[in-house]
Amino acid sequence: MAASGTSKEAAGNGEALAGCTYAEAELLTGRTHQIRVHAAYLGAPLAGDDKYGDREALRNWRRRGLKRVFLHAHRMALPRPDGSTLELDAPLPGDLRGVLDGLQQPV
């Protein structure tokens, strides 16, 4: 997908949760805001996104306890000077896990 002629592509897949989509994206470049811009362009801004999202939706996310953009790098692979790759994994932080767990609850 690409939001404009100068944007780079991103790939991903998703899972529907309570009217939302929990998606995974693989960045092909290190462009700042790449995932946020693409999601907004497709009409599905990230939860809690105060730059590219909808104000009413932002208020609803705040009521659900989300205090930031719902975006997390759970896996990274970085090249090392010796040619090997450093792979890092990080579980979903507790604040984001709490928002996911609460999606089945009324606001």
Side-chain angles (χ1 to χ4, degrees):
M1 83 178 117
S4 72
T6 60
S7 296
K8 299 294 180 179
E9 291 192 3
N13 57 41
E15 172 187 346
L17 296 168
C20 301
T21 300
Y22 182 78
E24 183 175 313
E26 180 180 349
L27 293 178
L28 302 177
T29 68
R31 302 269 180 171
T32 304
H33 300 269
Q34 182 181 12
I35 294 171
R36 294 170 69 187
V37 169
H38 286 241
Y41 175 78
L42 293 172
L46 300 181
D49 194 336
D50 61 353
K51 181 168 183 155
Y52 300 105
D54 174 85
R55 287 188 180 171
E56 181 61 28
L58 182 60
R59 281 192 290 274
N60 288 334
W61 284 114
R62 295 293 185 255
R63 282 194 285 273
R64 288 188 174 275
L66 186 61
K67 306 291 186 224
R68 63 184 179 103
V69 176
F70 198 116
L71 186 61
H72 173 65
H74 78 96
R75 183 175 301 124
M76 292 178 66
L78 307 167
R80 291 181 169 161
D82 67 1
S84 66
T85 302
L86 172 64
E87 294 186 19
L88 306 166
D89 289 298
L92 193 64
D95 63 330
L96 299 182
R97 172 57 48 202
V99 170
L100 280 183
D101 293 344
L103 283 178
Q104 302 302 324
Q105 307 301 319
V107 180

